Amino acid sequence: MKSFLALLFLFPLAIIAQVSDEEQLKSFYDTSLLEGQSYEWLDHLSNQIGGRLSGSYNAERAVRYTESELKNMGLDRVWLQPVMVPKWTRGPKEYAYIESKPGAVNAVNICALGGSVATPDGGLKTGVIEVKGIEELEKLGREAIQGKIVFYNRPMQANLINTFEAYGGCVDQRYSGAAEAAKYGAAGVIVRSMNLRIDDLPHTGSMSYGDLPAEKRIPAAAISTQDAELLSSMLALDDSIKFYFNQKCQVFPDVQSYNVIGEITGSEFPGQIITVGGHLDSWDLGDGAHDDGAGCVQSMEVLRLFKETGYRPKRTIRVVLFMNEENGLRGGRKYAEVAKEKGEQHIFALESDAGGFTPRGFSFDCSDADFERIQSWKSLFEPYLIHYFEQGGSGADIGPLKGEGVVLAGLRPDTQRYFDHHHAANDTFEHVNRRELELGAATMASLVYLIDKYGTASLQKIKG
């Protein structure tokens, strides 16, 4: 009889536990959608501060603003983590044209790639050779390339549903194209923008010269997809046309900046850390609303939602706004370095760096056992149309935390519109939908809550 009564007692508790999770998730979504703060934070970052290029005055303003807002939230601890970052400036607006014959020119839209050197004084004008990728350089050889501008014109693959996969298929020409072309004596590089649309907006992004000595570095710029099509068409008709571009970007010595960090101390396991974050720096052409102002404010909102709904986490929940993801990843590396030095135990890290679009789910870099555990929570997300749970990558800033037993994850919003704005002048506040942004924040809070409450498979293994 006693065992029967015990079963009757335990059965309702099992139901209550499940209902409790459902109610807690609903509370996150209700609070974010009805009383959210993320959109107001993003409005300030975008419209009162603007583009936050690493090492810039605006990046410093963003550090001070977000530090203040985290303190206003009443977190247990807020601090700045110093990190040395590169400083590169674009200078005056770039100018370029295609010259079909002396005096006959077509102005085109370009922008310097981040980290590029300037053109010679007065600009650079010479012949153009078009390629679809770096691998074509060796086939052409030095004789064909010497003294010319290499025009990389491989488009993103439009039939790939995951646009990040399409981006990954051609971004090497932006990142390494100048270094590789310089080896064959090229005078400069023009790269088709990483954009699935045909429009007039050039998209910047990071590039590297590798170990190329300073005197051999050549200027590199992105050209809009519309003008890439024009240049390609004109070359097909006459390969003797010339291209002119002028840019005055500069590289300066490294300067000090900061990661912005705040946390709620865990009530039971304060030494076990769950990190959620995005990168505070952005490129300078727009105001960095999607990349990655959205991820920063969503991450801040996770901690605010915990406080507003009255949930006291078992483990320490830490928000990190990383500096210098775009052109160096210094913030992510510094955070992981300090964590290792202090012997901190990170069990989970979540990053939002794919825009403030409608959330679809998450990608996880974790063991099969941890992924199986996470998948058991999928039904809790179904009422919010969150369905994408896949093993794969996570986020650039949290990548350096990777280690045995650490689960890494990335928020995965719908990707179809992301590269319309990525690193371009139209990455601005008015292109972020409030409701989509707030849904993303609630989705992140829900996953963090479940990890906090139930732990990871690795922790269970240790406990067992």
Side-chain angles (χ1 to χ4, degrees), residues 13 22 24 91 132 227 260 442 454:
L13 286 182
E22 292 171 348
Q24 185 60 58
K132 296 296 184 185
D227 290 324
V260 184
Y454 297 109

Side-chain angles (χ1 to χ4, degrees), residues 152-331:
Y152 289 101
N153 191 33
R154 182 166 77 251
M156 292 176 67
Q157 190 175 336
N159 64 335
L160 294 174
I161 303 304
N162 184 344
T163 61
F164 280 87
E165 186 180 349
Y167 176 73
C170 59
V171 74
D172 64 327
Q173 60 192 346
R174 189 196 75 200
Y175 188 76
S176 305
E180 295 302 318
K183 295 175 183 177
Y184 294 89
V189 160
I190 296 294
V191 182
R192 183 190 182 99
S193 287
M194 307 292 111
N195 180 11
L196 283 159
R197 291 197 310 187
I198 301 298
D199 62 23
D200 291 320
L201 296 170
H203 294 229
T204 191
S206 185
M207 55 85 65
S208 172
Y209 292 107
D211 57 3
L212 206 63
E215 66 274 11
K216 292 189 179 296
R217 297 180 179 186
I218 59 176
I223 186 170
S224 74
T225 50
Q226 183 95 294
D227 290 324
E229 296 286 293
L230 174 65
L231 178 57
S232 182
S233 297
M234 293 180 71
L235 283 168
L237 294 172
D238 181 3
D239 62 7
S240 68
I241 63 173
K242 297 186 183 303
F243 192 92
Y244 168 88
F245 72 113
N246 193 345
Q247 58 189 41
K248 299 184 181 297
C249 36
Q250 289 182 271
V251 178
F252 296 90
D254 290 355
V255 298
Q256 183 172 284
S257 189
Y258 304 90
N259 292 328
V260 184
I261 308 173
E263 69 181 24
I264 300 172
T265 306
S267 59
E268 294 183 34
F269 312 106
Q272 294 177 9
I273 299 169
I274 294 173
T275 292
V276 58
H279 65 85
L280 193 53
D281 64 305
S282 75
W283 287 108
D284 55 324
L285 297 180
D287 59 46
H290 276 298
D291 188 18
D292 183 31
C296 288
V297 299
Q298 286 173 328
S299 299
M300 293 166 66
E301 183 75 343
V302 168
L303 274 68
R304 195 190 74 87
L305 290 174
F306 274 33
K307 292 182 70 68
E308 288 297 313
T309 60
Y311 177 73
R312 181 66 180 172
K314 296 180 180 182
R315 299 167 171 87
T316 294
I317 311 298
R318 184 179 290 175
V319 59
V320 184
L321 310 181
F322 298 95
M323 184 56 67
N324 185 233
E325 186 273 347
E326 292 292 6
N327 59 337
L329 205 64
R330 302 277 186 89

